[in-house]
Structure formats: C-alpha cells, structure tokens
Amino acid sequence: MNEILEGAQRGLLIRSLFGQILTIHFKNSLESTHKSLINIVQDLAAEADAQQPRCGLLVGVSPQLWGKWNNRIIPISDKILNGTDQWMNTHGDVFIYLKTHDFKTAEQLLEEPKRRLDGLAKDIECVVLGKRHDSRIVGGRYHDGITNPNDAVTLSEDILNRGDHKGSSFAFTQRFVFDWEAIMSNTSDSQNQIVGRRPDGTILSQHAIRGHVHRANVRDSNADQRKLLRQALPFGRDGHHAGREEGIMFVALCNEQQRFEDILQNLLGTRKDDPADQLMQMVSGIGGSYWYVPAAQELGVSPFQAGDALYEHPHWKVSSSNGYLFYNFQDYLHAMGEKRYREGDAPSPRLLSLIARTFNHWRDGWVHNHHFPRLPHLAGSEVKKKEMEAIPIPTRKAMANFETLTDLFSAPDSKIAQEMGLLRNYPKELLVGVVPDFTYGRGKEVMPYLSKDEELSFWLKKQLNEFSSMGHIIPDLNHVVRNGLGNMITDLEKRLHRDGSHTTFYNSAITSLKGVQGYLRNWATIADKSAARAREHKEADDADNMADVSDRLRRLVDEPPKSFQDAVQLIYSFHCCLHLVGELTSLGRLDQMLWPFLEKHPIPTDRAQEIIDCLFVKIGENALIDRTSIHDYITCGTGSINGGWGNFSQGGGLNQWGQQVTLGGYKAADGEPQDGCNPVTLLFLKSARRIPVNAPSIMLRLNKYTPADVIEEAAKALLSGGAQPGLFNDDKLCKGLLDSGVRKDHVKVEWARDYAADGCFEPLVAGATEFAFNNIMPLLALEQTLNEGATYGAAGPNHLRGLKTSFRSPLAQTIKSFEELQEIFLEQLRWLTIQSYDYMLDHYGNLADVCPSPLLSTVIDGCVEKGRDLTDGGARIHMIAPLFPGIANTIDSLYAIWKLVYDDESACATLDELRLCLINDWGFGMIEPYTDLQLAATEAEQHGDRYKELRTASLALPKWGTGAADSMLQKIGADFLDSVVRISNSVIRDPHPLLAPKLERIREKYGADFDFVVTTGGATFEGYTGVGLACGASADGRRKGMPVASDSSPAPSAQDLPPEPVFRNIYGVMKSYQQDAVEYGMADAAPVDLTIAEDFPLEDLRHFIKDFAAGWVGGNLITLTCADLKTLQAASKDPEKYGLVRVRMGGWTEFYPTSFPEHQDHHQRRPMVMPGRPDDKGYEIQNDDF
C-alpha cells in the first residue's frame, strides 16, 4: 500500500487551496521537447517542494504523446467526452497544476517556467484558481471535496496505478462556468436536492435519481462505487458579486480512465439535450481533456514520502477520545492506514483494502436501492405446479435448495446472482462467498414450490408458506468440519439403504448437501476467473491467492478440511448456503471448532488473525445504512418461530442476520468444569475490537476460570463501540439449563456446558436444539387486572373499556388492598401463560408439512439419527421459551400503584381514578366515554391536568434496576420475578389439565420419551417498540404506545421528555438482578442492556467484567453499549458522519443511524452506568489479580 503511495508525484496528494493550471499545446512532439519539458517540470517541482508543506506540483500529459515518448500504448476512451456539447474536449499536450497556499506564491513560482515554456508552446492557457478560507464553493454554499478519498487505503485502491508504473494515475479536467440565473431560480431545498447534500455536509438520501451525488455514482462489476480524487478549484468572479465564482476548474484523478467515461455517461443519461444530472443543466463545460499522470519516477520529481501527512477533511475528523471507537468510515481508514491506532495493531493492508471495499458497498446504499427479485417457481408453469403436488414437499424443498445453491445464487453466469452482489469477489480475499442480504426484519426471498391450491390450504390452516422457516438456531458446523461434505453424504446414503421408512428425509438431505457441493464448485470457478484477471493486471500475489482459494474449494467439495484456513472457509461456505436457502442461523462456538485445526497445523499468529479478520469482513459486508430505502420481503408466513403466522415487530431488525458467534465458556464435558478459552478466542475478540462491522455479533461466555487476557480484550472490544461482546455468566446459565428439563436429568451436564447464542442471545445447546418462543405480556395482565379483564390501549368509542381478552376480574374500586391486586394480577398472568403454551403446543410440528428444513437438519444432532426433519421433531433437544417482555415497567408500575393508591404515607388517588388516568393516557389523550368532550374545554383540561399531576408523581418515584434502596420496590420486584418463573414452569411441568392432552398427543406422534426443555426468559429483543405499541399507558409513567424497557433492563426515561441521563453505579444497578429467579430460573437469559460513557476507564471495565465472570455481580447476561448521549444525538442529525456508531439491540448490534427515530430516542434514554466498586449493598470486594 505505502509503496504505491510512494510512487506518486508528491504534488498529486497535496490539498488544493490556491494555484494555477497551465494547459499547453506544443509546437512539436520531438524528443527535444520531451527533454525540455522534463527539465522544466523537475525545476518547478523542486521550487514547490521548497515551499512545503502546502505547495506541490501535479503534471499530466496527453496519453498519446506520453506513449510516443516512452514507446508505450496507453488506451483512452473519449466517446462520451466527444459526443455532447455539455462539455468540451479541447485536448492539449500537457497540463501543469501548481498548488500553493496563496495566489502570489503561484504567480512567483510560475514566472520562470512560463518563460521557458513559451519557446516550446504554440498555446498556453492559464487559469488562476483559489478557494475561500472556509473551502466552500457555489457561492459559499457547499463544502468542497467532502467525499474525497484521502486515506492511504482508498488512494492505493482507487486512485493510483499498481504494476510497472506504481503511483501513476489518469486525470480528467474540465473548466465549468456556472449559470447563476439558473442556480438562483431554485429554492434552497431544491439546490440541496440537485447537489445531494445540505450546506452542513449531511448527505440526502438519493431517491430523486437526478441529484448530482446519485448520478456521479457508478458501480463496478462487484456493484461497488470506485472513487475519484477531486481537486477542483474555483476561478473568477460572476460580475460584481464577490460571493459568486465564475466557475470551477474541475480536476479529478483515478486509476481507470474508463471510469471517467462511465460517470460522464451517467451524468448525461440517455438524452444529450437534457442531462439526467440536474446540476449539469446549470453549468457549461468550456474546455478540458483526459490525461495520463506519470509516476514520480517517470518524471524524475519528488515522490510522496512515508512521513508526509495525508489531508483528512475536517468534516470527517471526529472520533471518540477513548482511542478505540471510530465514528465514520473516512476517519477509520485514515487512522488505520496511517498506523495511528491506539493499540498499534491495525488490520493488515490486505484487510484495510477489503474493509474499504466493504465501506464503499455500504455507502452505495445512499444512492442505490438493491431489491431481490421474486424467485422463479420450482416447477416453472402453472400446469407443472399442479403436477408437482405428487412429489413430497420435503423433496420439493430439497430440489429448491439445490437450484438455489447451484444455479440462481452462485452460477457464474446467473443474472440474479450478479445483480444482487452474490458473486462479489476481490482477489485479496482469503475467504470467498457472499451472505445474502436477508434479515429477520426485512425478510428474504426463497424459491416457491407449493401449488396455488396448497398455498391457499396452508394459509387457511396455519398461515404458513415456503418462507416460514426461521433459522434462529445453532447448526452443528463442527460436524461439517470434522467429517466433510463427502463423508456426510456417504453416511446419509448408507442410512438410506438401511432404513426404508425415512427415504424422503434422507433423499432430501442428500440433495441439499449436493447443492452445497455445487456452490463450492461454482465459487472455485469464480476464483479461477479472478486469478486470471489478476495475472492480466500483473498482480502475482493476488493471482496466487485466488488460485489457492480455488484449489481449497475443490478439495472441500468432498474432503474434510486439513488446515485452519480450510476449516474457516468450509464453515463460512456452509453458513452462506444456509442463509441463501432462507435458514438465517448463527455460527455457534467457533473458537472451540477451529482451535484443533490451528493447534494441529500451526501458522503464524498474524496469518491466523488475518483469516479471522477476513471472516468478520465477509460476514459483515452487507449492511443497510439508509433506512428510507428498505424493501419489505416479509409475507404472512415468514419467520414462524412457533409454528404459527410470522408477523412480528420488524423495524428494529433491519440489519439482523442472526450471525452470532459464541466464544469461551466451559468445555462440553462432564466432571470438573474446564474453561475452553484458547488462542482463537483472542483472535475473534481482537477482530471485534478492530473491525467495525455489526455482524458477526460476538457473545462471550465468562466464568471464574476465564483468563485475564480474554477479559482484557473483551473490555477493549466494548470500548470500541460495537456493543460486543455480550457477556454470559457460565455458572448461572449452565445450572439454569441443567434444571430446565421437564424430567429430572433430562439435560446432561455436558449438554448444558455446550450452550451458545442462537440468532439473538438465547442460550441453546449448540447444534442439537430446536427452539420456539412466545411472548407473555405482564403489562397486559396488569391492564386486565385494573380493567375487568380488558386491555385499555384500545379503549374509547369503539371498544369502550377496551379489548376483552381475559376473565372478568373485580371492579377496580372493589380491590381493597395491594395484596388482593397482586393475587388478581398473578392469576391474569397465569391465564396468559397457559394461553401461550396452548398456542405453542397446538402449532408444534406445523412446519414439517409446509416448510421443512432438509439442509439445516443435516447439522442438527438427532435428525439424521432419527431420519426426521428438524421441523418434525428430529432434534435431540426440544426447547420452548415463555418470554416476559416489559419486566421493569411492570415492577415499576406495581410499585407506583402501591405508592399512589395503597401506601398510607403517599397515596393520592383511588385505583379507579388511576385506571381512568391510564385510559386517558395520563391526560394527554382524553377520550370518550371517559371524558365528556362536550363539556367546556377548561373542564376537560382540568381532568387532564389532574392526570398529568399523577404522572409527575409517578415519574418521581424510585425505579427498579437503578440501585434504589427502597425495600418495598425491591420486594415487589423479587416477588414478581419469583412468580414469573414459578408460573411459567408449574403449568407445563405439572401440566395444567388443558395442556396435558396436547402434550400426550405430541408424545403419541414422536415417542413416549419426548419432552420439552423449558427456559423462561425476559426478552424483547429489538421489539421493545412493538411491545409498547400493544400496551396502554402504564402506572410507571410510561405513555400509551411508548416503548417498554429493552429485554430485562431497567426502564428508560420517558420517551416523550428530553433525554436526561442519570449515571448510576454499575454494581448498584446489577444488585436488583442478584436473585435465583433471574440468575438460574431465567435459563433463556435475562439480558440487562446498559450504556457506558466513551471515557469509561478501561481498568474499571476490566474489574467489572472479572467480577461478573466470578459471579459476584447479579444477572446472567449483560450487554454494554459504549456511546455518549452527544454522540448519539449527533448521529441522528448526520448519519453519514457517524455511520460507524453502533448500539446493542437484544442479542445483536445495529448501526445507530440506520435505526428508526423511535429506536434512536429509546437508546438516548437507556440507563447510563458509571464505574464503581462493590459496596455495602451486599457485594463483596475481591482481590484483583490483574
């Protein structure tokens, strides 16, 4: 990378502020003219160098003339430049661009060269150039050069040539004159739309395709934008208007001359007389040309040197003071490329090149929308669809898998694959393949295989379809790397011949695995083509790399992996295939799978790190950054997590692929526990710290044996702002999982110790678990308690007191004590819990008839052994999880009811008055029949003011999970959590009479030893806004429809009030979670999502993680987002400038600017915690081993 920069003319990389451009036509092209030019250029360059650091010389020569002088052919395409009056090709033999820090210096330095050139030239055009002090153009309205690549990575990739003339480039010049009358005829907003940015530099989403930012964006064969280095300067003055320049002398450089032509064509569009780019209608090109820009050595001038600083535009020069957290792409590449990273272990040049390409791919989302087309039906025609009904559905699904993997999504000539970026490949990649842009929030496209009649039938019965497979579990990828695809197929074929009763399953599994083999073969071909192109460009290292990749893929078609890189590639390829067929699954315990390969066949640590870094880039290379360009692929049956219809809260899962990786933790063995952390664990944590992607999402299992270096790296990774790793406590979750079986000893010790995060954070036994969950809403149970069995969010003229959803509980005015209210509430909660189990049991096994999972079943323990699909009871472990969102809001609401209604010291309302207050949304939504809107406005306002007073009182009360010492608050919280765990277990372990027959029917179908593992949880995932929408106002001060607390976290501050974060002791906050019901009873995990300031001391964070690992801190799962409130607020205003700011969303990480405003507001109001030490609230102070 540096050798390319160091081959460039020093002046090429100098920022342009003032100067002059000379365009020269020589009298002749003799060698003497060549020598004279070189002498003049060398002398002028030396003079400019002496004026360092802000002066420099850039020289370009006619490609034909330079080719003649150097016996080279330099191909140039100028069809578009010559084909319109929009710009002019006035040709020329050489252009000399002298950049200086003021007008006078340029004039002085050029005086002698001009005199010498006069003898050689028949014509010299001179343009005097200069910027305003603030570097703005177009009448001082817009920042200039804001998107210029000024980092070593992009300059080496997109601007400068490699090969024999390292550091050379191509240039395009054009002198544009402004039509000020046309410009000023547009409003300010219209001018912004025409340009594509606001005056403060904020990018505008380019749905108006005639904006300049959109039209100037062209993509290469990988669907990525390649950059230009723009070094334009204004010239002249428009009449007597000091603030308006006459025009712009446009100078741009890149390493592919055809790129200029492609951009000009895109600016022009299809009509020469009506440019597609509206900005082109307001400027006129009056002269310029294409140029070859020789390398410094070709001219004999000073090159750019390692000590020379690259200019970083002030717009992007923002980052966290902690040295780990970067706010935007440009600053990240600038710092890493110049080796200014705090830890001194920046990613390798290979990785920075790939990361730069990934950033470009993301950035392209501002100007291009990528929408997957609907895939063709497996059968083709309607007649064949009907005939296909005779083929078993699992077989059809396998055929669809095969077609998808071997043709539609990976064949080198597939139009769909090409257009959707599924064949994206760079010759520097150590791993190849592409994960599709399918997410839980936006959905996916799969190949249909049902007939119309079947589609209607399954919709009527179950509202399911071909899109219903959810993934969201953990495949046994260790099985893949231990055995290889060939042995897996051989094993299935043997079982097929032995077992005649499960032929459909085995055949569908074999067909699906052959699809994976076809995928590998296709990518080997793609790698071969990439190697050939690299050889064409004389890039031997890249060609050898792609040849190595191709050889590896062909071996992996049949053979198990031999090396560390083999294993990583096969895991990644299989992962891609699962996602390509619609199974959005996580990756499991990769450090445990990969360490045996690295241990047996050691490679240098730097090389191993580079491979894992590449894995991060590959997994995270797709990201949506512009939420206004969303395409919703979800159907009525997409993503069925419990056998029923799939509508769920989508808006928080825009970039949620379910690509979790779990690290560390106990080894999967019986006996005395042994920590499984190994050198690969550290490789992953270092990648998480240094590579700012949102996937993979890292979860780290901690225990009392976790090594200090792992804790150190985890702390640094958290400070890097990726909100990862999420922190599990092994001792608590292993015990919780061990006790989660309905039958005693159902879950073995080694199974419990082998848990990993599924597609979010839920701990599942890795590679052996099917999983279903359903929400049970305690806030709705509380509404039903107050409102005679009705939820009041829909109260009003239509539903009167609300939706009647449960048994009719006593009138509010008859509930005389808080204890009586609690009893009614718990009975309402019990009803909802039974209803939830009833739904899950009724729908168990539904997907097997509609949307089986033959490929995923090959990597779920139990399926192959039983000959049963995952969706048909094949897994070894059958897990169901009753989840209770809104825990903190419920506890705070119960406490508020006690304080406002029943506490002798503070009561200020009756229970019925509080009910009416909540129905009327704390006075902000006065509705009939609970307020007579025919009354005088002042009378209705008085009722509303009274309700607002009650809200003020409620908001002022202590809140659970904040370290508040109020004993009644803590008791209410503890009692509620105990009740949640007790109810959710008792009604299924000792089955309620209404559930028992359903369980028996399941056992009759799947065997008498069939049982569920039940893991209670406190989760909203990213759906805290959707959960809140279903709820009316709650007694804790929350407004109607406002979000609830995320997962099991303390409640955020009121969403309708300005964010005013209160920093609380992190140990005090976690004290509320230090009870068995949370730590062991919630075996599906009870995540506590907290925010730490960017200046949270590393040492304090290490201490806290160590204390949590040792079990001295409450809770079983903690996530920490590192972001200051001012950073989040700035990111809301300028999403491009803060594009790398990431926050925790349940079990995964999201780019904060991509989130909808409701989510952004929620994050700004989440609990902020400060450093602390265990204090006198029950924590022991332990010795520090660091």
Side-chain angles (χ1 to χ4, degrees), residues 806-825:
S806 183
F807 69 87
R808 191 163 63 161
S809 51
L811 295 167
Q813 53 265 44
T814 69
I815 302 174
K816 300 304 182 185
S817 69
F818 184 67
E819 290 73 22
E820 182 184 355
L821 180 136
Q822 284 181 305
E823 289 179 11
I824 299 167
F825 165 65

Side-chain angles (χ1 to χ4, degrees), residues 1075-1086:
Q1075 65 177 100
D1076 286 356
V1078 175
E1079 297 180 318
Y1080 306 108
M1082 290 191 165
D1084 197 59

Side-chain angles (χ1 to χ4, degrees), residues 778 818-823 825-827 829 884 887 890-892 894-895 898 960 966-984 1072-1078 1082:
F818 184 67
E819 290 73 22
E820 182 184 355
L821 180 136
Q822 284 181 305
E823 289 179 11
F825 165 65
L826 292 179
E827 184 61 15
L829 189 64
F884 293 82
I887 284 175
T890 305
I891 294 172
D892 290 341
L894 288 167
Y895 177 72
W898 178 70
W960 183 81
D966 189 290
S967 59
M968 187 61 177
L969 174 60
Q970 297 306 324
K971 182 179 185 306
I972 288 172
D975 289 348
F976 169 68
L977 291 166
D978 283 340
S979 298
V980 162
V981 173
R982 173 177 50 78
I983 291 170
S984 61
S1072 296
Y1073 301 89
Q1074 198 172 37
Q1075 65 177 100
D1076 286 356
V1078 175
M1082 290 191 165

